[in-house]
Amino acid sequence: MPFTLPDLPYPPTALEPHISARTLEFHHGKHHKAYVDKANAAIAGTPLEPLSAEAITYRAHVEGNAALFNNAAQAWNHSFLWQSMRPAGGAAPSGLLAEALDRDLGGVAGFNTAFKEAAVGHFGSGWAWLVHDHETLKIITTHDADTPLVHDGLTPLLTLDVWEHAYYLDRQNLRPDYVEAWLAHLVNWEFAATNLHAA
Ligand code: FE
């Protein structure tokens, strides 16, 4: 089937104390798995079945198939999320990415301030992203399952899930604490740099 549940790239305890094993196990093993299973069930036996997960997500977006799009995009967004974090992350990026952050967002300090404001200020469920948009780095948020993958010209570099299921077990309603901890300790700048080089 085109949608698969990847293994987490680290043990479930690896992001503690910032994100608990309990949260990661529910988030990956229940929420992410459900999106993968529902996306596969929705395309089973249809002409979409031989396509890649990315192509199916794009087709669902273009055709306005919200039920399929929501599960397909969430499957992709969560796979991207696990790689956007790492144990002992959050240190400064280097090279091309550091130069681009300096040029477009006021360096890492400017990024941290603007990303926190965007992630905390996003109303309801969704995602905060660092994206490459036609030669410029930008911070954007998307609602619910929406993903830069289907918006022409945008290359996602990093994402943070701001759905309550991402932090509620650990922090209840305190989204700002979750965002701050992610920025300070978990950001995987190497992953962002790899995505930028590919853009
Ligand atoms: Fe999530």
Side-chain angles (χ1 to χ4, degrees), residues 27 31 35 74 78 81-82 127 161 163 165-166:
H27 200 177
H31 291 277
Y35 295 128
Q74 284 293 77
H78 283 87
L81 170 69
W82 310 133
W127 300 81
D161 189 342
W163 284 61
H165 67 226

Side-chain angles (χ1 to χ4, degrees), residues 12-90:
T13 53
L15 305 185
E16 291 186 337
H18 314 294
I19 295 176
S20 70
R22 184 171 150 79
T23 287
L24 264 192
E25 281 165 350
F26 268 93
H27 200 177
H28 174 259
K30 303 287 185 192
H31 291 277
H32 192 181
K33 183 174 188 302
Y35 295 128
V36 168
D37 290 347
K38 287 178 184 171
N40 281 329
I43 53 96
T46 77
L48 295 175
E49 194 169 341
L51 301 182
S52 70
E54 287 81 4
I56 292 167
T57 305
Y58 192 77
R59 284 275 293 272
H61 167 69
V62 169
E63 292 170 7
N65 183 345
L68 174 58
F69 176 77
N70 286 338
N71 286 299
Q74 284 293 77
W76 191 89
N77 288 346
H78 283 87
S79 295
F80 197 83
L81 170 69
W82 310 133
Q83 300 177 79
S84 294
M85 310 188 279
R86 48 163 278 197

Side-chain angles (χ1 to χ4, degrees), residues 102-171:
D102 285 343
R103 184 190 64 213
D104 298 332
L105 293 171
V108 177
F111 164 81
N112 283 342
T113 302
F115 194 92
K116 184 183 171 193
E117 192 178 298
V120 172
H122 180 83
F123 184 79
S125 296
W127 300 81
W129 305 84
L130 174 65
V131 297
H132 184 251
D133 177 7
H134 301 97
E135 307 306 316
T136 304
L137 297 193
K138 287 183 183 163
I139 293 164
I140 64 167
T141 63
T142 58
H143 281 281
D144 300 324
D146 193 18
T147 177
L149 192 62
V150 298
H151 297 290
D152 291 339
L154 297 187
T155 303
L157 305 184
L158 280 175
T159 196
L160 179 62
D161 189 342
V162 298
W163 284 61
E164 281 187 345
H165 67 226
Y167 58 89
Y168 205 86
L169 289 175
D170 294 340
R171 302 178 188 271

